[in-house]
Amino acid sequence: MLKPAYEEAHAGFEEGGVPVGAAMFDSRGRVLSRGRNRRVQDNDPSAHGETDAFRKAGRQTTYRDKILVTTLAPCWYCSGLIRQFRIGTVVVGESENFAGHLDWLREAGIQVVELNDPECTELMRRFIQQSPNIWNEDIGESE
Amino acid sequence: MLKPAYEEAHAGFEEGGVPVGAAMFDSRGRVLSRGRNRRVQDNDPSAHGETDAFRKAGRQTTYRDKILVTTLAPCWYCSGLIRQFRIGTVVVGESENFAGHLDWLREAGIQVVELNDPECTELMRRFIQQSPNIWNEDIGESE
């Protein structure tokens, strides 16, 4: 299930963008949408990987049976999205480059699966090394 | 400062949309952007009033000196946005129709100003009465 999210992240990296990708699946494991961070590509600070995939899945009656796969642990913005819409399951490619708030999600009853995927980790590590300013901007850490 | 946010909410109501509006101001009190919930209008579940205004303000180096005005207390999704990007001040039109998570924002060092504005409260109350299903969908409460 990580493949489409990783492909999105990789495409983002090739575009010079923040390489975080995501995909939403329905309860049968079918891909509903794919998305990636578009801060650089579209000058859109609101498009994180998770919110882009969420947007592209369109209006859904419920998210409790949906699975959101993301290459990187979600920030507060995306964690808030997951919690507000009660997305049932979140699959996290890696949480080494950014720890996120996985316990906060678990406390809200969301199932969190951590993959510790080396490809996701390596792609993000390369980007943060290359473009620390864009990365800091993307998580609100710029001064 | 509530005026542009209320105008956005009211325009959303006239369009048949969820009437939540927002505006972002810089430290001198100049409007950087205005936005409104676009779930119905654009079929975009990711466009809450606050995220729409955030998006339209474009990429900013810092948000600590910014003021986000919203007609309704922010949900988890928008509260996460505010916290991640450390928006300095949030002005809330009303929190009667939706309480939000204002203490969670205050705990994170964000200044929260509550206006308890009767016009915002009345507009939202009318919408929730008219369209409870859309409102529940917008806050992830649909079954």
Side-chain angles (χ1 to χ4, degrees), chain A residues 39-40 43-46 48 51 54-55 58-64 75-77 80-81 83-86 98 101 104 134 137-143, chain B residues 39-40 43-46 48 51 54-55 58-64 75-77 80-81 83-86 98 101 104 134 137-143:
Chain A
R39 171 175 297 274
V40 172
N43 261 315
D44 183 351
S46 78
H48 275 197
T51 63
F54 178 82
R55 185 181 198 191
R59 289 168 65 179
Q60 301 283 336
T61 310
T62 181
Y63 294 91
R64 294 181 205 188
C75 72
W76 277 127
Y77 170 40
L81 175 86
R83 183 158 172 172
Q84 186 65 46
F85 291 98
R86 304 184 195 189
F98 186 77
H101 311 281
W104 187 78
I134 299 175
E137 184 192 308
D138 198 57
I139 52 169
E141 301 281 354
S142 300
E143 290 308 323
Chain B
R39 171 176 296 273
V40 172
N43 262 315
D44 183 351
S46 78
H48 275 195
T51 63
F54 178 82
R55 184 181 198 191
R59 289 168 65 180
Q60 301 282 336
T61 311
T62 181
Y63 293 90
R64 295 184 204 187
C75 73
W76 276 127
Y77 171 40
L81 175 87
R83 184 157 171 174
Q84 187 64 47
F85 291 98
R86 305 185 195 187
F98 186 77
H101 312 281
W104 187 78
I134 299 175
E137 184 192 309
D138 197 58
I139 53 170
E141 301 281 355
S142 299
E143 288 309 321

Side-chain angles (χ1 to χ4, degrees), chain B residues 96-113:
Chain B
E96 200 177 308
N97 288 295
F98 186 77
H101 312 281
L102 303 180
D103 286 340
W104 187 78
L105 291 174
R106 289 188 181 105
E107 280 161 25
I110 291 148
Q111 191 182 4
V112 178
V113 179

Side-chain angles (χ1 to χ4, degrees), chain A residues 43-107:
Chain A
N43 261 315
D44 183 351
S46 78
H48 275 197
E50 299 90 324
T51 63
D52 195 45
F54 178 82
R55 185 181 198 191
K56 286 177 173 147
R59 289 168 65 179
Q60 301 283 336
T61 310
T62 181
Y63 294 91
R64 294 181 205 188
D65 61 348
K66 307 294 184 295
I67 300 155
L68 181 67
V69 181
T70 175
T71 56
L72 183 65
C75 72
W76 277 127
Y77 170 40
C78 300
S79 297
L81 175 86
I82 292 160
R83 183 158 172 172
Q84 186 65 46
F85 291 98
R86 304 184 195 189
I87 296 174
T89 304
V90 178
V91 177
V92 176
E94 65 113 344
S95 55
E96 200 178 307
N97 288 295
F98 186 77
H101 311 281
L102 303 179
D103 285 340
W104 187 78
L105 291 174
R106 289 188 180 105
E107 280 162 25

Side-chain angles (χ1 to χ4, degrees), chain A residues 8 10 13 30 38 59 67 73-74 80 109 123 128 137 139:
Chain A
E8 290 287 324
H10 195 266
F13 184 84
R30 287 177 301 207
R38 297 179 181 278
R59 289 168 65 179
I67 300 155
L123 185 66
I128 294 173
E137 184 192 308
I139 52 169

